[in-house]
Amino acid sequence: MDKIIILDFGSQYTQLIARKIRELGVYAEIVPFNRYFDKTDVKGIILSGSPSSIYDNDAPLPSREIFEIGLPILGICYGMQVIAKFFSGKIAPSKKREYGPAIIRLKKKNELIDEEIDGSVVWMSHGDRLEELPEGFESVAYTDNSPFAVVQNTKRRIWAVQFHPEVHHSKKGKQILARFVFDICGAEANWNMENFLETQINQIRETVKNKRVIGAVSGGVDSSVVAVLMNKAIGENFIGVFVNNGLLRKNEAQYVLESFKKLGVNIRYVDASELFLERLKGVIDPEKKRKIIGHTFIDVFREIAEEYDDVEFLAQGTLYPDVIESVSVKGPSATIKSHHNVGGLPKDLNFKLIEPLRELFKDEVRRLGKKLGLDDEFINRHPFPGPGLAIRVIGEITQERLNVLREADAIVIEEIKKASVYNDVWQAFAVLLPISTVGVMGDKRTYENVVALRVVESVDGMTADWSRLPYELLGRISNRVINEVEGVNRVVYDISSKPPSTIEWE
Ligand code: XMP
């Protein structure tokens, strides 16, 4: 399979380059800038952007060897400066950062940019810029602020662009990447989900042979796609385990099990809700809740696994963004919330790991899921945290409070779906607050629970904004929750963005 290597210098956009190229049907892999990579099937190399300046003492630089391999190279932004540095160009530190749109103007027709791209908007985001051409290079396109917006050395097959073709705001950016990948590198579009599926199934069969594989199924997209894929590859030798921790949404367990049944996938259902709720009794601190839930899950899973003596592998839904050793994420980032996913099983379970999705981005997993027969409703479900409703019942968790929240939450989801908003938002859910407020129902004073609505828009959950839902929809939800859920007399809408708030309340 043809491959494009992206050397990562730490840009926030590195993953976008890989995704855009994969969307073109060509497999792209991200490699740290200083790491050796296997050249087999590699058709070209892209040098990513970076938050660093080439003037920094510890500016990231690749080995000179990459310019000697003879593969076509495209430098993007900082990647352009790297090229200039190796070929004695002059880069000027700029006091003013150029950030935002610019119009690209063709100076000389070339393999990367042609008349079709001439005059289109490109996105700039750089401080330093090229001032003097590197040896053997010529400028083929410019913008008002950058005389060398695109440079080339056709003899060495090197191109470099000052702007970011990978971002959405570069209107014809994808076309530029396509020209590099197809016309310059001669790569073939042979990366698609059908190929992927076929190769994975063969690989899984080869690895597992006649041994058994166990895997936790949470009902989320990733672990579900793994389960269906494993089942397709090795049938009943895959044991998918769905643990009910008593913290699930209304009808969740039933829905998940039925979805699998429709696909002919047998899932082992374990109801451990009593154990979880017992251990959570009296616990208020959110981090403590998470730890207890994480540990209890491991205890339950371990016990199930021990029932089988021929299980050699553990299947997990690890995705590509978790695997990439991006230089952009080096350095300690503070733990805001410890996230315990079902995937987070301890190493001492002594299984060999199988991670069939480790090369995929989330949208690719969704496409694969579709190919495997999971329906749209299942595939497009909102993310749901591992600790479930435990972090949405603020304060102490009791069966009664869980039930109140379940009913309210079901109404929220039902109304959001009815209004065709569900697929436009990142998450929508109800939160049960640990206070009571006064209300009046009929002629009587009430003193009951408050439910908060949380509906956010987000791209990756890292940042988020509250959804500007229509008042009518908010009104309908509030009316229904107060009228239909016993014990609730007030509904409030959370209008905080992340940061500084978080999506979940705990
Ligand atoms: P926050 O609340 O940190 O949430 O803004 C960001 C995303 O992560 C989900 N989330 C969790 N997922 N275990 C999980 O598996 C957790 O402990 C957890 N806490 C938050 C949250 O639902 C949102 O999608």
Side-chain angles (χ1 to χ4, degrees):
M1 182 175 55
D2 289 354
K3 230 193 245 183
I4 299 291
I5 291 288
I6 299 159
L7 286 190
D8 181 22
F9 294 94
S11 163
Q12 56 175 329
Y13 300 134
T14 302
Q15 286 195 26
L16 256 187
I17 309 174
R19 291 177 57 167
K20 285 278 146 84
I21 292 175
R22 287 190 187 186
E23 276 169 28
L24 294 169
V26 177
Y27 186 67
E29 205 172 291
I30 298 170
V31 178
F33 68 93
N34 51 0
R35 179 71 57 84
Y36 169 84
F37 58 89
D38 185 358
K39 314 289 179 300
T40 322
D41 296 333
V42 175
K43 298 289 173 198
I45 301 170
I46 293 181
L47 313 182
S48 86
S50 174
S52 309
S53 159
I54 203 96
Y55 287 105
D56 293 346
N57 280 337
D58 56 354
L61 289 173
S63 101
R64 175 167 282 279
E65 188 217 4
I66 65 147
F67 297 106
E68 314 295 342
I69 316 170
L71 284 170
I73 290 177
L74 172 65
I76 294 178
C77 197
Y78 178 85
M80 178 188 241
Q81 298 176 29
V82 170
I83 291 166
K85 172 126 185 148
F86 276 96
F87 293 94
S88 321
K90 191 168 158 210
I91 303 133
S94 163
K95 277 173 232 85
K96 214 178 101 227
R97 231 187 130 70
E98 189 186 2
Y99 183 82
I103 303 285
I104 185 97
R105 306 267 176 220
L106 192 62
K107 188 168 160 195
K108 177 182 174 187
K109 201 171 161 204
N110 64 91
E111 289 169 80
L112 194 65
I113 312 278
D114 65 2
E115 294 91 344
E116 248 188 84
I117 292 158
D118 185 22
S120 68
V121 172
V122 293
W123 195 257
M124 293 287 186
S125 174
H126 63 100
D128 309 344
R129 67 165 204 196
L130 193 59
E131 280 296 313
E132 248 172 55
L133 283 171
E135 271 165 32
F137 282 75
E138 60 180 332
S139 164
V140 291
Y142 60 94
T143 66
D144 283 349
N145 276 322
S146 293
F148 308 129
V150 183
V151 301
Q152 68 175 12
N153 179 333
T154 48
K155 220 163 115 211
R156 282 188 170 266
R157 314 286 301 149
I158 299 175
W159 282 259
V161 294
Q162 178 68 81
F163 55 89
H164 288 273
E166 70 276 25
V167 307
H168 176 69
H169 309 286
S170 288
K171 288 282 176 279
K172 302 214 165 148
K174 201 162 167 189
Q175 224 166 305
I176 297 173
L177 291 173
R179 287 184 144 263
F180 177 70
V181 168
F182 297 123
D183 303 346
I184 295 177
C185 299
E188 255 182 72
N190 47 17
W191 161 257
N192 59 46
M193 280 304 133
E194 253 139 73
N195 281 347
F196 177 83
L197 190 59
E198 204 185 302
T199 334
Q200 274 307 320
I201 288 178
N202 288 337
Q203 260 178 28
I204 292 168
R205 286 182 183 150
E206 232 167 75
T207 316
V208 173
K209 300 207 167 71
N210 56 356
K211 294 285 192 274
R212 295 239 248 185
V213 182
I214 198 166
V217 177
S218 70
V221 178
D222 308 340
S223 66
S224 300
V225 171
V226 169
V228 185
L229 174 61
M230 292 306 297
N231 180 274
K232 206 170 172 85
I234 58 169
E236 297 290 317
N237 273 353
F238 171 70
I239 308 150
V241 181
F242 180 87
V243 176
N244 185 343
N245 56 11
L247 306 162
L248 304 175
R249 285 164 292 190
K250 191 176 176 183
N251 298 332
E252 171 77 3
Q254 204 183 334
Y255 173 72
V256 172
L257 293 173
E258 266 169 23
S259 302
F260 278 106
K261 207 160 161 201
K262 270 195 244 157
L263 294 172
V265 180
N266 237 333
I267 296 289
R268 183 158 167 187
Y269 174 69
V270 184
D271 186 356
S273 37
E274 266 181 40
L275 178 66
F276 277 87
L277 295 192
E278 180 59 38
R279 291 194 185 171
L280 284 167
K281 222 181 222 160
V283 179
I284 287 174
D285 178 63
E287 281 306 279
K288 229 186 219 160
K289 286 181 181 174
R290 280 192 172 80
K291 292 226 160 69
I292 291 171
I293 293 163
H295 291 148
T296 309
F297 180 82
I298 289 162
D299 291 347
V300 172
F301 192 82
R302 190 193 300 270
E303 207 169 289
I304 300 289
E306 278 166 3
E307 283 179 27
Y308 304 86
D309 50 15
D310 53 351
V311 176
E312 217 174 283
F313 300 90
L314 175 70
Q316 287 196 340
T318 318
L319 303 194
Y320 195 46
D322 306 322
V323 175
I324 305 170
E325 276 181 78
S326 170
V327 282
S328 50
V329 294
K330 76 177 172 193
S333 62
T335 304
I336 313 273
K337 295 177 187 180
S338 58
H339 287 190
H340 285 285
N341 285 317
V342 286
L345 289 165
K347 294 209 168 43
D348 71 343
L349 276 175
N350 265 337
F351 294 124
K352 294 178 197 149
L353 269 190
I354 292 197
E355 298 173 312
L357 312 181
R358 57 182 287 122
E359 287 165 16
L360 303 188
F361 287 111
K362 189 85 179 186
D363 49 324
E364 293 173 323
V365 173
R366 292 210 167 95
R367 289 216 310 273
L368 181 64
K370 226 172 150 165
K371 194 129 267 156
L372 286 163
L374 287 163
D375 62 30
D376 283 348
E377 191 188 347
F378 196 98
I379 282 173
N380 295 323
R381 294 209 309 157
H382 292 165
F384 184 66
L389 301 185
I391 54 169
R392 295 181 183 170
V393 168
I394 311 303
E396 188 178 353
I397 300 155
T398 63
Q399 192 61 266
E400 197 194 344
R401 293 184 69 73
L402 281 168
N403 284 340
V404 170
L405 179 59
R406 272 192 191 111
E407 294 304 320
D409 188 71
I411 292 172
V412 174
I413 298 297
E414 194 186 315
E415 287 298 329
I416 294 269
K417 281 191 173 164
K418 247 200 257 167
S420 305
V421 170
Y422 188 85
N423 287 334
D424 300 332
V425 299
W426 172 262
Q427 268 172 308
F429 55 88
V431 181
L432 184 62
L433 306 193
I435 52 163
S436 297
T437 67
V438 172
V440 52
M441 272 188 195
D443 288 333
K444 276 209 204 97
R445 175 187 186 274
T446 58
Y447 189 56
E448 289 177 336
N449 288 300
V450 183
V451 161
L453 296 182
R454 184 68 164 144
V455 186
V456 294
E457 279 155 33
S458 174
V459 177
D460 51 13
M462 303 294 283
T463 58
D465 198 7
W466 59 281
S467 288
R468 271 60 173 176
L469 293 186
Y471 285 165
E472 293 71 29
L473 174 56
L474 289 170
R476 263 200 309 278
I477 293 174
S478 166
N479 267 342
R480 282 199 58 197
V481 170
I482 293 171
N483 286 323
E484 295 175 32
V485 185
E486 213 173 305
V488 178
N489 68 358
R490 190 177 299 274
V491 171
V492 295
Y493 190 42
D494 180 350
I495 52 169
S496 344
S497 61
K498 172 183 180 176
S501 298
T502 52
I503 296 176
E504 302 289 347
W505 276 44
E506 285 199 336

